[in-house]
């Protein structure tokens, strides 16, 4: 767990939506899973709703049952969530429908 502390500290040090979005996009998926509650807490404290939405979609996809072929295809929801977060990381306004 000690190796994860610097990674979580970088999330805590993030001051903008852009920094938090970039952190989420570069965070390994296993860290999102293993530190979910800590990450969720940091995002809640920062009022970063888009980050929480992304986390929910990414983790739901990781936890779903896969098909016999391993179901390696990227789910549309995950792709859309990553695209929204990429726009935030780049400082581009996100339009929600």
């Amino acid at each position: 767990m000690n190796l994860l502390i610097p990674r979580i500290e970088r999330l805590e040090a993030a001051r903008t939506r852009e920094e938090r979005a970039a952190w989420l996009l570069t965070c390994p998926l296993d860290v999102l899973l293993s530190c979910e509650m800590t990450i969720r807490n940091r995002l809640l404290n920062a009022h970063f709703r888009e980050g929480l939405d992304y986390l929910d979609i990414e983790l739901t996809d990781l936890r779903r049952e896969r098909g016999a072929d391993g179901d390696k295809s990227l789910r549309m929801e995950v792709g859309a969530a990553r695209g929204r977060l990429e726009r935030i990381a780049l400082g581009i306004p996100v339009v929600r429908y």
Side-chain angles (χ1 to χ4, degrees), residues 48-58 81 84 96:
F48 187 36
R49 182 71 200 153
E50 297 93 343
L52 289 165
D53 292 344
Y54 165 79
L55 185 64
D56 287 339
I57 291 168
E58 193 75 73
R84 281 191 297 274
R96 295 194 63 107

Side-chain angles (χ1 to χ4, degrees), residues 1 7 11 14 20 22 36 39 44 46 57 76-78 89 92:
M1 192 70 150
R7 185 174 298 280
L11 175 59
R20 290 181 188 96
E36 175 185 359
I39 294 166
L44 278 167
I57 291 168
M76 185 183 304
E77 297 87 1
V78 175
I92 301 170

Side-chain angles (χ1 to χ4, degrees), residues 22-65:
W23 184 91
L24 283 166
L25 288 168
T26 59
C27 185
L29 296 175
D30 66 323
V31 174
L32 292 181
L33 280 167
S34 64
C35 297
E36 175 185 359
M37 297 315 293
T38 301
I39 294 166
R40 189 173 296 283
N41 176 269
R42 300 316 184 268
L43 298 174
L44 278 167
N45 288 341
H47 305 284
F48 187 36
R49 182 71 200 153
E50 297 93 343
L52 289 165
D53 292 344
Y54 165 79
L55 185 64
D56 287 339
I57 291 168
E58 193 75 73
L59 294 182
T60 297
D61 186 67
L62 285 171
R63 290 179 174 131
R64 72 181 164 84
E65 192 165 329

